[in-house]
Amino acid sequence: MKTLFKTAFILTAIALIHSCAPKAPANKAGIDPQAFNKVIDGKQVSLVTLTNKNGLEMTVTNYGAKVVSLMVPDKNGEMADIVLGFNNIDDYQKFKPYFGAAIGRYGNRIANGEFTLNGEVYHLAKNDGNNHLHGGIKGFNAVVWDMKKVDDHTVKFTYVSKDGEEGYPGELTVHMTYQLTDDNEFKINYEATTDKPTVLNLTHHSYFNLHGEGTETINDLVLYINADNFTPTDSGLIPTGEIIPVAGTPMDFTTPTEIGQRIDADYEPLILGHGYDHNYVLNQEEPKTMVLAATVYDPASGRYMEVHTDEPAIQFYGGNFLDGTVVGKSGIAYPYRSALCLETQHYPDSPNKPNFPSTVLNPGETYTHTCIYKFDVK
Ligand code: GLA
């Protein structure tokens, strides 16, 4: 009897100590994986953490294949979460600024929500005024992907988009790999195949702020874009079809320049875009070769990011639609222009612009796309 009491006492004590001991945080960003534990569309949603040998850390969820947090050091080794986002799945379902999301089937806009392919007209949702944006009402940012963590650095996503989904033809199978490499790269590899001719333009929509998410502005960051030309738009942000030089205009980032320096210039494309929200045509000698597309530098923290891709273009979006109403993961409302997206892609509205590089994918072909965001300090 005595031994029984003693054992019970010891067990209770152990249980008590265990429940009082502070739990080791699941990740440096302080994102609780339990807050992502939800069944959506009959599929389990969760959060996984990727790390590398230098202490960088990224959390991702399979709801929209979203990057939820990305911890990178500054020049003193101080870590900060440099992407906008939420700390729970409900907020991701409620708000739609595409924070950290995979975008598809078509990144950016398709005019009037329609296009013609092989003589057939296809009608898509008009979810941005009269136009179609980022794959429609339920784009790849709002579906549950199959997710498999391969190792500490790597997570693989798969999504099969049904024939006719959001109006697009063909059953489309998409594979994406997110990797946090020991070279401090966040690397995305895309692959897709279709069973009918279709159009496709996948991209990634992390909102970066190298000062750390929740800080005031990105207009003091220094940006370089390896593009001599861009595609001007109308007021609905649909390309006019022209490809024009950036030289001599406030669009020119071929030498590193502070983002805010010319943002209020009296220049029509900037006025129509409400700031920077443009597709830059990358200087690329051969199609499908990797180029340095852009760099971003924060002189204050020393954080430096490079973007590399084999896609022909990059959308530079300066957070013009952030309006201080959406409260992010650290309890701070995200201010106007407090993050930027650099979306490697084909040009917006290519299905309606025969002079733009084609976004058609046929059965038997494989779409591939690599995008690398590489972090360093200077
Ligand atoms: C893209 C577009 C912007 C805007 C954002 C989402 O980057 O270029 O015009 O639609 O997505 O708010």
Side-chain angles (χ1 to χ4, degrees), residues 98 108-109 133-134 205 207 237 277 315 317 321 343:
Y98 305 96
N108 217 285
R109 293 170 176 79
L133 174 69
H134 290 339
H205 214 292
Y207 283 67
L237 296 178
D277 193 354
Q315 182 83 12
Y317 167 60
F321 297 118
E343 306 157 59

Side-chain angles (χ1 to χ4, degrees), residues 26-27 30-40 44-48 59-63 68 86-93 329:
N27 49 65
I31 309 286
D32 180 4
Q34 278 312 314
F36 286 80
N37 182 2
K38 186 169 184 177
V39 174
I40 299 175
Q44 181 63 48
V45 170
S46 61
L47 184 86
V48 301
T59 66
V60 301
T61 176
N62 55 329
Y63 177 67
V68 172
F86 302 113
N87 58 10
N88 66 85
I89 193 68
D90 298 335
D91 280 352
Y92 277 105
Q93 286 188 283
K329 52 194 152 185

